[in-house]
Amino acid sequence: MKVKKFINRVKDFLGLDDFEKANKKKSVKNLLHKLKVRRKQLSKFLKKQSQKKRRKEIQEELDIVSLQIKKGRVILKKLNS
Amino acid sequence: MLKKIFLPTILVFLAYGFWISPDFKEISAGVAIFLFGMLSLEEGFKVFSGGTLEKILKKSTNKLYKSIGFGAVVTSIMQSSSLVSVLTISFLGAGLIGLSQGIGIIFGANIGTTTGAWLVAGLGLKVKISAYAMPMLVFGVILIFQKSKSVKGIGYILTGLGFLFLGIHYMKDGFEAFKSTIDLSSFAVSGFKGLIIYAGIGVFATVVMQSSHATLVLIITALSVGQITYENALALAIGANVGTTITAIIGSMSSNIDGKRLAAAHLIFNSVTGFIAILFIHQLIVVVDFTSNVIGIANDDYSLKLAVFHTIFNLIGVLVMIPFVDKLVIFLENTIKTKDLKKKDSYDSVRYFNESALAFPETSLVAIVKESKHLYENAFEIIAHGLNLKKSNIVSSMNIDDVIKEEYSNEIVDIDECYNRKIKGIYGEIIDFSTKAQSKMPPYYIEELYKLKHANRDIVEAVKDTKHLQKNLIKYSASSNSYIKKEYDFIKAGLAELLRNINIIATTDEEDVLLLVLSKSKVHIEKYDLIANGKLDELIRNNLVSNEMATSLMNDSAYAYDISKNLISMAETIFVDARSDMKELKQDMKISEDEIDSLLNKRKDL
């Protein structure tokens, strides 16, 4: 039996793939939580900010964070399916 | 000069010895075979050390007691304090562990090495181990010729053990025959004088053989056949302990400053321990007798008693030195300094490379990442000063518009000269080290190495592009044409912001901040595309800038674009991918070209 095949069999036997998946899920969830907190903060700043240039910058950050939240949700969905 | 005559003198001395005494020849052959066995053993362990051992070392050295334990266990298993000290020097050089942890491992290695005396005194002389030597050698050599690396490693270990056993056998036989012709014990010197003379002989023998293990085996075998007295054997063991530091000293010659400090620490530690042992030799003998009685060693079994002595005096040494580790580190840092620190404006050189790290792929990679960060530090300084910006302002929370207003100097920084002093040499060394490391790396490490080489090339390209950009940037930043000045200030502000973002990426622990800043930087570089965003057309159409200015602006925007792209790519490799927790996450969350375009369009609409 080839070494790689043997390692995969041991991994299957011990359920290490699930362990890796669970770890990844945990880190994506953690990141999503942080991104959501940041989005909330940025929305608050945007409301308070009156300077046009600064508003533009905050809006840009807000768009990036929203995009990443969307991506994070897709990854999480994939991991759950 | 001394170095040149040392080797021939030793060879002539040995040749004369072989000529006058066949027994001396047998003992020397035993030592040579023993040393060869150790080399083979080291080679075998090196096969298994790539990756696993390094990972264990990283985790087991975060506390002093752990470092000591690690040094003791690994040395006991490998039966080679020299391999452990070389390994420690390579880790120190790569910046994986600090000097105090390195010292801890050396302390532990001193304890671990005492197991060798126990093995030889307890097993080697009591059991006829040479009987095992031959089969081990046969099996070992067969395995060495196999293709698989691990099987080869086992082959080297078996052959190493076989040679060790065979060496001990020859030494023992030689001494027994020697006894019938010359009685070395008649040369025994008693009292303090004898102690000093024999300790000196112990130092000399270990320096010549570069192995305290070999000296100790020689002492124990000579003692077992009554060729030397017990007291003189103790002095020889003390000397061997001091002489063994020569391996670390030689190993540190090709290493960086921390390796040299570690070798000095090893010498100080073993010398202090030896001094204490000589000073309290009578008290130690009483302790050894007492311990031997407790563990059931016969009164006349001097070989085992020597093993007890070796263990006790090394343990005492470690216990005495532990409270002074921090002070020792401070002392070494103050006394052994880098040349660069003394000469501020000299040519900068690599900090984390040493030849011994090349044998360990993971250590080599860590060393290259660290050195790349060092190269970036220098590049950051050159780019900032080349753009006439203050480094401290860039990394502060100061408004970017204010950062570009405050100039670094009234004179133009010579980027070429800075490049030669702070980039060229280090970059050359990184490429040289990477190429050497590549030849010893398994394929799955090579992809990482390739990325790191690219990252370093990106740094160098960014510095070179800054040089091209500098001339016009300085010229038009002071121009009376407010339109061209505004455009160049825009480039300057963009690059200042990028350097600030990379600094955030390099220092933050927050994954969300890292992803946000990285994505923002990628979006921002698109603003240098003056043709796509219509800025250049507008300036030319309205006759706001001359043709020469327009051409310069177009070229310089391209330089700014390249600098940004190269630096972002570099940051992804050496600051993000180097963090195992972020590498995969970054890959999954990466924003695509289309997404960047849509973000830019949204920005225009605002």
Side-chain angles (χ1 to χ4, degrees):
Chain A
M1 188 164 32
K2 291 262 169 67
V3 180
K4 212 171 175 183
K5 209 173 165 189
F6 173 73
I7 291 171
N8 284 337
R9 281 202 180 174
V10 174
K11 263 176 135 182
D12 282 348
F13 178 72
L14 297 172
L16 290 180
D17 275 338
D18 290 341
F19 183 69
E20 271 174 31
K21 213 174 170 183
N23 260 350
K24 196 175 172 185
K25 231 160 73 177
K26 205 175 156 188
S27 55
V28 175
K29 268 186 187 171
N30 189 29
L31 178 65
L32 266 175
H33 172 72
K34 283 182 180 176
L35 286 169
K36 280 175 189 167
V37 171
R38 187 157 294 274
R39 185 170 65 177
K40 222 175 183 178
Q41 270 177 351
L42 287 169
S43 301
K44 254 188 205 169
F45 288 152
L46 190 66
K47 274 179 195 163
K48 282 181 192 165
Q49 192 56 250
S50 56
Q51 207 188 337
K52 199 185 165 192
K53 195 183 166 195
R54 188 73 193 113
R55 277 184 69 86
K56 218 172 166 180
E57 283 169 3
I58 297 171
Q59 185 59 53
E60 187 190 65
E61 284 189 9
L62 202 57
D63 289 341
I64 294 172
V65 171
S66 303
L67 186 70
Q68 272 159 348
I69 290 174
K70 220 165 126 185
K71 277 179 177 287
R73 280 186 182 143
V74 173
I75 298 166
L76 206 61
K77 209 175 165 185
K78 263 187 199 169
L79 287 170
N80 282 329
S81 63
Chain B
M1 180 66 188
L2 200 70
K3 217 173 164 184
K4 273 183 187 169
I5 58 164
F6 185 70
L7 183 66
T9 313
I10 294 287
L11 293 178
V12 168
F13 171 76
L14 284 173
Y16 178 70
F18 298 160
W19 185 43
I20 58 161
S21 164
D23 303 326
F24 176 68
K25 190 167 70 189
E26 201 165 353
I27 297 167
S28 305
V31 175
I33 293 169
F34 185 86
L35 285 174
F36 188 74
M38 280 188 63
L39 283 179
S40 185
L41 207 60
E42 280 185 18
E43 200 60 40
F45 278 115
K46 265 185 192 170
V47 172
F48 297 102
S49 63
T52 322
L53 184 68
E54 293 158 275
K55 274 176 201 153
I56 297 169
L57 183 59
K58 262 195 266 178
K59 281 184 185 165
S60 346
T61 54
N62 52 356
K63 298 244 163 63
L64 184 65
Y65 74 90
K66 278 191 187 175
S67 316
I68 296 174
F70 179 83
V73 172
V74 173
T75 314
S76 307
I77 296 169
M78 293 189 177
Q79 283 299 302
S80 167
S81 57
S82 30
L83 178 62
V84 176
S85 60
V86 168
L87 197 75
T88 313
I89 287 173
S90 73
F91 271 84
L92 251 180
L96 278 179
I97 54 168
L99 187 59
S100 48
Q101 284 110 304
I103 292 173
I105 297 174
I106 294 293
F107 283 6
N110 266 44
I111 297 172
T113 199
T114 61
T115 54
W118 283 99
L119 281 176
V120 178
L123 198 73
L125 300 175
K126 306 254 180 326
V127 185
K128 203 171 181 293
I129 52 169
S130 61
Y132 302 103
M134 301 303 171
M136 275 181 172
L137 286 173
V138 175
F139 290 128
V141 171
I142 292 172
L143 295 184
I144 284 175
F145 285 113
Q146 300 308 305
K147 271 186 187 165
S148 159
K149 257 192 153 187
S150 354
V151 176
K152 225 177 212 187
I154 295 169
Y156 274 116
I157 293 172
L158 273 180
T159 317
L161 288 172
F163 278 126
L164 288 188
F165 292 171
L166 199 66
I168 294 171
H169 166 77
Y170 274 111
M171 280 188 246
K172 210 171 132 190
D173 273 5
F175 272 116
E176 263 162 16
F178 206 47
K179 199 182 171 187
S180 56
T181 50
I182 305 166
D183 187 10
L184 277 179
S185 58
S186 61
F187 296 103
V189 184
S190 57
F192 193 70
K193 200 174 143 195
L195 214 58
I196 299 293
I197 292 171
Y198 275 86
I201 295 172
V203 173
F204 180 75
T206 312
V207 168
V208 172
M209 293 189 278
Q210 284 191 33
S211 164
S212 64
H213 240 72
T215 315
L216 216 64
V217 175
L218 209 59
I219 300 165
I220 292 171
T221 43
L223 183 67
S224 70
V225 293
Q227 277 288 52
I228 49 171
T229 65
Y230 175 55
E231 282 75 18
N232 290 157
L234 298 185
L236 281 167
I238 294 170
N241 228 43
V242 179
T244 193
T245 55
I246 192 72
T247 318
I249 292 170
I250 292 172
S252 73
M253 279 175 182
S254 63
S255 105
N256 66 357
I257 194 73
D258 274 332
K260 290 184 176 75
R261 285 176 186 149
L262 186 74
H266 197 187
L267 179 66
I268 292 171
F269 167 64
N270 285 30
S271 303
V272 168
T273 312
F275 182 71
I276 292 170
I278 288 177
L279 216 59
F280 298 101
I281 191 80
H282 299 298
Q283 288 83 345
L284 269 172
I285 290 174
V286 174
V287 175
V288 169
D289 285 342
F290 175 76
T291 315
S292 302
N293 274 336
V294 170
I295 55 177
I297 294 171
N299 260 344
D300 58 346
D301 193 345
Y302 291 115
S303 311
L304 272 177
K305 276 169 108 175
L306 183 71
V308 176
F309 171 78
H310 196 221
T311 309
I312 288 177
F313 105 81
N314 268 305
L315 272 174
I316 290 174
V318 172
L319 290 175
V320 168
M321 290 298 285
I322 281 177
F324 302 105
V325 169
D326 292 336
K327 281 184 182 143
L328 185 63
V329 171
I330 294 168
F331 169 74
L332 290 166
E333 280 171 351
N334 287 335
T335 45
I336 307 175
K337 287 178 183 169
T338 45
K339 283 173 194 160
D340 298 334
L341 288 176
K342 288 176 193 161
K343 213 174 158 190
K344 206 187 163 200
D345 282 334
S346 65
Y347 282 71
D348 198 6
S349 59
V350 288
R351 290 177 189 161
Y352 305 99
F353 289 162
N354 71 68
E355 294 288 318
S356 48
L358 287 169
F360 313 103
E362 207 156 298
T363 315
S364 309
L365 277 182
V366 175
I368 297 167
V369 170
K370 292 222 168 201
E371 211 53 70
S372 308
K373 286 180 182 172
H374 174 208
L375 185 73
Y376 173 68
E377 263 175 50
N378 289 355
F380 174 29
E381 189 182 308
I382 297 171
I383 295 170
H385 294 171
L387 301 174
N388 211 3
L389 299 169
K390 282 185 182 170
K391 243 177 90 181
S392 54
N393 288 347
I394 292 175
V395 296
S396 70
S397 55
M398 197 185 208
N399 191 303
I400 288 290
D401 292 336
D402 296 330
V403 172
I404 63 163
K405 272 179 203 156
E406 211 174 298
E407 291 184 338
Y408 166 69
S409 165
N410 290 328
E411 287 172 30
I412 297 173
V413 171
D414 185 347
I415 294 184
D416 261 339
E417 196 259 340
C418 293
Y419 174 82
N420 284 329
R421 272 195 303 116
K422 295 192 159 184
I423 302 287
K424 203 177 173 185
I426 300 175
Y427 180 57
E429 293 264 4
I430 291 174
I431 296 302
D432 182 52
F433 187 84
S434 308
T435 312
K436 283 181 190 162
Q438 193 173 336
S439 62
K440 292 174 184 172
M441 270 179 183
Y444 54 92
Y445 284 109
I446 291 177
E447 199 189 331
E448 295 289 313
L449 186 71
Y450 189 64
K451 278 186 191 165
L452 285 170
K453 275 188 186 175
H454 260 282
N456 281 287
R457 200 193 58 194
D458 290 338
I459 295 173
V460 172
E461 291 295 325
V463 174
K464 284 182 176 171
D465 285 339
T466 309
K467 188 202 146 199
H468 297 306
L469 177 66
Q470 187 191 36
K471 199 181 124 199
N472 287 333
L473 194 107
I474 303 284
K475 182 179 161 188
Y476 291 124
S477 291
S479 172
S480 54
N481 182 328
S482 61
Y483 297 100
I484 195 76
K485 184 181 183 307
K486 194 182 160 197
E487 291 308 318
Y488 273 92
D489 279 349
F490 178 74
I491 292 176
K492 211 170 165 182
L495 290 174
E497 196 193 342
L498 177 77
L499 291 174
R500 176 177 284 179
N501 285 345
I502 292 176
N503 185 58
I504 295 171
I505 292 171
T507 50
T508 188
D509 284 328
E510 300 294 328
E511 302 96 323
D512 58 324
V513 175
L514 196 149
L515 281 173
L516 175 64
V517 173
L518 195 64
S519 307
K520 216 164 88 174
S521 303
K522 282 181 181 172
V523 172
H524 283 192
I525 59 170
E526 297 305 323
K527 67 193 171 191
Y528 293 121
D529 195 349
L530 293 180
I531 296 173
N533 65 25
K535 249 187 193 175
L536 199 67
D537 280 352
E538 194 190 321
L539 288 168
I540 295 170
R541 207 184 310 120
N542 298 326
N543 272 333
L544 299 173
V545 294
S546 67
N547 288 346
E548 188 202 348
M549 283 175 183
T551 318
S552 297
L553 185 60
M554 201 165 71
N555 290 336
D556 292 332
S557 296
Y559 284 132
Y561 179 84
D562 289 342
I563 294 168
S564 308
K565 212 172 167 192
N566 283 330
L567 289 182
I568 290 170
S569 160
M570 171 282 306
E572 281 189 288
T573 307
I574 69 170
F575 295 120
V576 185
D577 289 353
R579 285 176 54 173
S580 52
D581 58 328
M582 276 312 295
K583 194 178 174 184
E584 210 181 336
L585 219 51
K586 183 210 85 182
Q587 211 59 35
D588 293 336
M589 304 288 277
K590 197 177 176 181
I591 53 170
S592 66
E593 296 287 323
D594 290 342
E595 284 162 340
I596 290 176
D597 283 344
S598 87
L599 281 168
L600 280 169
N601 288 333
K602 238 181 176 180
R603 198 179 165 161
K604 266 186 211 166
D605 298 339
L606 285 170

